[in-house]
Each structure stands twice: as C-alpha cells, then as structure tokens.
Amino acid sequence: MPETESTENSRIINEKWFTETPQGKALAGSRCRKCGRTYFPRKRVCVQCFEDGRMEDVALSRMGRLYTFTVAEAGPPGFTLPYAFGYVDLPEGVRVFSPLGGDFARLEIGAEMEMAIGPIRQDDGVDVIGYIFKPV
Amino acid sequence: MREVAVVGVGMTLFGKHTETIRELGEEAVWAALQDAGMSPKDVQVAYAGNALGRISGQEMVSGQMVLREVGITGIPITRIEDACASASFAFRESWLAIASGLYDVAMAVGYEKMTGATTAQIMEALAGASDTELEADLGITFPGVFAMVARRHMYQYGTTREQIAYVSVKNHDNGALNPRSQYQKRFSIEEVLASRPIASPLNLLDCCPISDGCAAAVLVAKDLAPRYTRKPVWVAASGQASGFFEPGSDVTVLKPTIAASQSAYKQAGLGPEDIDLAEVHDCFTIAEVLHTEDLGFAPKGEGGPFIMDGNTAIGGRIPINTSGGLLSKGHPVGATGLAQIVEIVEQLRGQSGHRQVQGARAGLAMCLGGFMHSDAGVVAVHILKA
Ligand SMILES: [Zn+2]
C-alpha cells in the first residue's frame, strides 16, 4: 500500500491540501487570476487585490528553498525526537511551514528542497501522513 | 481622551506554586487594592488576562471566578486571551475604558497556572498560539519558532551564538536582584551554551521556564488619582498591532512591534531615546535581540553586539528587563503583560531596591502574543511616565 492513501494504520492529514499530478501528489494551491498571487492551502478571496471568485486551482512546485529551520529535541506528544521543521519558499511566492526529512546534517538556509509524502507524527497509534520537504 | 493613572499594583512570586489561580488571583488583586488603598467596591470594570485555561481546567469565566475572591462582583468583567500578551491587553482595555470616559476605576488582572502539566503538554498547549491547522499540527513549537528566528538573525547579520546567550546571562543577573523572580541564580555564557539542546540553535537556558503566577494593576481617571496615591504613574501611551503576514516576510523584523511602538511613541510624544528602561518579551533570548532593534533602541541587525556591550544592563544606556524578564522572573503566560507593568510602575516610583534605575521617568513595556506564518500574532507597547 503506498503511503499516499489512508489505511487502518494511517490517515492523510488533510486530503484537500493535495492534488494529483503526473509526478505524483503535489500541494494544492489557489492562484488569483487578477493579480497572480498564489496561496496554500486553497482559498477563495485574494487578500492582495480582494478579488472574489477568480481563484484557479494550481499544483504547487514540489521544489523550494529552505528559508529557515530547526532540529527540535523536545516536542508535543506524537513526534519522534529529534525532528526537524522549517519554512520552505516555493517559486510561486508561497512560504510553506513543513516538517523536514532526510539527513538533518544537510539542512541549511537556502538549501534546495523537494517535497515528499510520508508520516509526520503518530496519533493514537495511527500514522498521520503529510508533506515533508527533504534536501535534494 | 482622558488621562489615566496607575494607582496600585500587585503580584505574586512567580514560580512553582501549590496554589490555584483562585488563590494566586486573590493574593495579587488584593495586593493591588491595598497598594492603592482602594475598596473592591470602588472598581467599576475589570479585564482579566488568561491564556492556558486548558491546563488549569478553568477555561471559562475565570475572571469572575478570580475576582469573586476579593469581592469584585456584579460589575462588567471580561476575559481577554491574546496568548502571552493577554494581560497587556487587559491593561490596555482598562486604560481605554477610563480614557474613553465610560468608567473611572478599572482593575486589570492576569493569571496562569502551568506547573503540574508535563512539558510535552505545555508545549502542545502553547503551540496553540500558532496556526494550529497549518503549523502546530505539523509539529511547530515555540522554542522552534524562535530557533528559526535565531538562525535567520545569525545568517543575515552575523549575530553570534554568544551574543544571543548573553541575554540570558544579563536577565538572570537582574532576576537575582528581584525577590519575586522564579530564579535567583546567575549563569555564565558557557553554562547557557552547555545547557540541554531544545531546538537548534537554542538551548534550555535560552528558554523561559514554566511558571505559575498572577499580577494586577488598578487604573483610575486623572481627577481621582490623588484620592489613592501621592505617586501616580501615568499611562502615556498604549499601542497595539497585529501580524501583517505578508508573503516572504523577513522573520528577523517584527512589523507589529514596529507599528505598535511607533504608535505609542507618537501618542506619548517621546522617542526611543527618551525611554529610561524597558520590559520586553524575552520568551527566548533571541526575542529580546529582535525587540531591542524593533523598538528603536539599536539599529536592525546590531542588537547582538549592542546587548553584549552592556547597553541594556542596569546602569547601561537603556536597561532592559530589570525584573529578570521572562527568562529569569518566569512566564505565567496570562500574567506576564501585567508583571511587566508592575516592574515599570515600581521603577518609576523608585521602589526597585538593588535593581533600581536611578532617576527613571519613562518606562516602556512590550509584550508579544503568538507567532504564525513568520510574523508575530499581536504586540502590545505601553509607555508609562512618572
Ligand atoms: Zn489577487
């Protein structure tokens, strides 16, 4: 069973955050057709030009650059320590808060990151599946 | 707008208490009333700051529950939640209620009970001061938020890890002079750097502790002030701004702090150079570096060396967190904003003992509530004058 479907032992954190592309799951955003500002997750009203009803669905880039990050040695229940998180800037002008995976030693500001899908925490023994950015 | 004076302040010791918020509240509110020589029946309106009702269990009507203990009943009482700045806004609403002319006497109180819960439970509860859907559920923590800020500040301005650690050293030095501080212990830069890693690059001694406590202040209209005190402290300005959440915003520049402080400086007719001391929201060491810059005490990017050079120590150009700040005095979240006011009021009255800033005439209190999408949630800036 691929990790991109909800099962008895896992669930997708929020189906609405994702869209299918030929390359696999991508983050599902909205792009304002009037001013071009792009958002994640999807939304209805553009807060740059206040245009309503002219958003189009877009699949966001799976690649981005790491704006900043931390490796946490303490955290809320459900996270396996240590775990990493940070902000990733996507080429569409969207900054996404994301769990980070891969080799933590390779995390640095400006690093090129690629989105993956996988477990981000446990909730009552169920894996919660979400997006994770990893250094390329 | 009418002029408003603070005529009474009170607070509990900050730290680990066996008492409940009911008992802590009674102690601090009664102390504020005693300080003002005021009957509870004189209070016409009250605002209560509290953030973590889910930890204490008293998630609703806690303002009425606490104030009932001192006989403040029947009047309008409203609870305010704005994360760590909850009590700052209890103070601001009290000021506004009087300045507007609607009421003459107001009580501002803030309280929090945090000990007894596990650190993991506290981290989870505090993560509720982010965007819970898009950040907290994905693992964000507040040490992590400010760790990300620290990493960026070091990257952009060359701020050193030692400069950041020195904030903790300085504030613990001040806390050691404050009998109400949770910690009375000094630390070296080396000890901060050797303390347990929490969220890289921050360690345990870069983080404020988990605390219980309550703080309160009584405010009155100008013409009533002489009835209660010979040393009124005037609310010269109250500024508030929320996050701007602009795309790609620079996490090392907290625009709400700049907006709230510019508004406050304008109201008070003062600039940063006129401020004799400040209490700022040092929830984590790096936060004080940012606030020192965003409040205009040091140029952007130069907060690290400015603090390291002693400019913000007692006796320096602009003493910051003479109380010990959140790092040493403690951080009972919903009480913090008013504990800052208590420190400024006592400093302006010349009652601060060994940590007294000589000749202090104007003090600033800055508090930050919440953080999401790389901006502060909300910021309060108050300026008080002797
Ligand atoms: Zn638009």
Side-chain angles (χ1 to χ4, degrees):
Chain A
M1 181 67 73
E3 278 183 330
T4 54
E5 307 297 330
S6 292
T7 69
E8 221 170 88
N9 298 317
S10 71
R11 65 173 173 86
I12 303 285
I13 187 161
N14 188 335
E15 296 280 1
K16 289 189 289 186
W17 291 354
F18 300 98
T19 186
E20 294 298 337
T21 74
Q23 291 76 41
K25 266 191 166 54
L27 296 179
S30 296
R31 183 180 170 277
C32 173
R33 276 190 291 233
K34 186 174 178 197
C35 74
R37 184 161 161 190
T38 304
Y39 299 86
F40 173 78
R42 289 187 185 111
K43 68 189 301 303
R44 171 177 163 174
V45 178
C46 177
V47 298
Q48 182 159 286
C49 68
F50 303 112
E51 191 75 1
D52 186 1
R54 287 187 63 192
M55 289 288 195
E56 59 184 356
D57 286 349
V58 285
L60 298 178
S61 171
R62 298 165 55 88
M63 307 293 285
R65 292 212 176 266
L66 191 56
Y67 175 70
T68 188
F69 70 97
T70 185
V71 179
E73 305 282 351
F79 292 86
T80 308
L81 302 175
Y83 69 109
F85 52 83
Y87 286 107
V88 177
D89 285 332
L90 303 183
E92 293 87 350
V94 175
R95 179 172 293 164
V96 182
F97 176 79
S98 180
L100 305 177
D103 179 4
F104 293 167
R106 292 185 52 220
L107 296 174
E108 59 176 339
I109 288 176
E112 197 178 3
M113 308 292 284
E114 181 170 17
M115 195 197 80
I117 302 287
I120 60 169
R121 63 177 161 88
Q122 283 236 318
D123 184 6
D124 276 336
V126 174
D127 277 333
V128 177
I129 308 297
Y131 50 89
I132 301 168
F133 278 84
K134 299 178 178 178
V136 174
Chain B
M1 298 289 259
R2 301 194 299 170
E3 283 188 65
V4 178
V6 182
V7 295
V9 291
M11 66 181 280
T12 65
L13 302 186
F14 277 9
K16 189 172 161 49
H17 286 282
T18 54
E19 287 81 3
T20 62
I21 56 171
R22 179 179 60 79
E23 296 163 306
L24 295 168
E26 181 183 28
E27 181 185 339
V29 173
W30 190 251
L33 288 166
Q34 292 289 108
D35 187 38
M38 180 183 285
S39 160
K41 293 302 169 201
D42 291 355
V43 178
Q44 299 170 344
V45 65
Y47 294 92
N50 182 246
L52 295 170
R54 67 186 280 192
I55 297 290
S56 73
Q58 186 76 45
E59 289 192 65
M60 293 180 255
V61 292
S62 59
Q64 287 79 3
M65 187 278 289
V66 162
L67 291 171
R68 170 180 171 271
E69 286 300 298
V70 293
I72 296 178
T73 55
I75 63 164
I77 298 171
T78 304
R79 184 176 74 87
I80 292 178
E81 182 282 306
D82 261 313
C84 306
S86 298
S88 303
F89 295 118
F91 184 77
R92 176 175 159 86
E93 293 303 318
S94 298
W95 163 77
L96 194 53
I98 298 168
S100 68
L102 206 53
Y103 297 97
D104 292 320
V105 181
M107 169 68 70
V109 59
Y111 41 83
E112 207 72 76
K113 177 79 187 175
M114 298 171 73
T115 67
T118 66
T119 303
Q121 285 170 329
I122 295 285
M123 288 185 95
E124 188 176 35
L126 288 175
S130 68
D131 179 330
T132 56
E133 178 193 358
L134 293 169
E135 296 178 325
D137 281 1
L138 309 187
I140 211 166
T141 64
F142 270 79
V145 165
F146 283 92
M148 293 191 288
V149 171
R151 191 179 299 280
R152 221 35 234 194
H153 205 279
M154 294 167 80
Y155 174 81
Q156 288 180 216
Y157 310 110
T159 305
T160 67
R161 187 64 190 84
E162 287 73 19
Q163 289 163 352
I164 294 171
Y166 181 69
V167 172
S168 180
V169 173
K170 170 185 71 76
N171 291 356
H172 281 97
D173 282 351
N174 294 349
L177 303 174
N178 182 357
R180 288 178 301 211
S181 174
Q182 183 162 358
Y183 291 99
Q184 312 280 336
K185 190 173 177 338
R186 292 182 159 89
F187 295 95
S188 65
I189 289 179
E190 292 68 33
E191 285 173 300
V192 177
L193 298 182
S195 63
R196 186 159 64 85
I198 299 294
S200 64
L202 301 183
N203 298 351
L204 187 64
L205 288 173
D206 290 288
C207 307
C208 62
I210 290 167
S211 321
D212 307 325
C214 178
V218 190
L219 298 82
V220 303
K222 182 181 181 178
D223 30 322
L224 290 184
R227 188 184 300 181
Y228 298 107
T229 182
R230 276 176 295 170
K231 282 192 175 177
V233 170
W234 303 100
V235 184
S238 174
Q240 176 176 2
S242 298
F244 292 83
F245 311 120
E246 289 163 346
S249 68
D250 181 347
V251 81
T252 68
V253 182
L254 299 185
K255 280 193 171 178
T257 309
I258 296 174
S261 60
Q262 292 299 329
S263 160
Y265 287 138
K266 196 174 164 202
Q267 279 175 55
L270 299 174
E273 65 284 357
D274 302 313
I275 304 296
D276 298 312
L277 79 153
E279 290 283 302
V280 308
H281 195 74
D282 58 327
C283 46
F284 301 92
T285 46
I286 183 65
E288 183 167 320
V289 178
L290 259 67
H291 308 332
T292 300
E293 298 166 350
D294 292 335
L295 293 168
F297 299 132
K300 182 47 68 181
E302 295 176 25
F306 184 81
I307 295 167
M308 193 79 157
D309 289 346
N311 288 299
T312 63
I314 295 170
R317 216 151 41 145
I318 165 74
I320 292 181
N321 284 329
T322 56
S323 68
L326 283 58
L327 286 166
S328 176
K329 183 185 56 192
H331 182 31
V333 171
T336 280
L338 275 158
Q340 293 181 326
I341 297 292
V342 172
E343 177 71 9
I344 299 287
V345 166
E346 293 183 347
Q347 285 278 2
L348 296 179
R349 289 171 174 174
Q351 295 174 329
S352 297
H354 293 300
R355 61 183 198 288
Q356 181 65 45
V357 175
Q358 296 305 324
R361 302 286 302 161
L364 179 150
M366 175 270 172
C367 202
L368 178 155
F371 206 101
M372 56 187 151
H373 304 295
S374 52
D375 203 354
V378 62
V379 170
V381 173
H382 285 98
I383 297 174
L384 305 183
K385 277 168 74 175

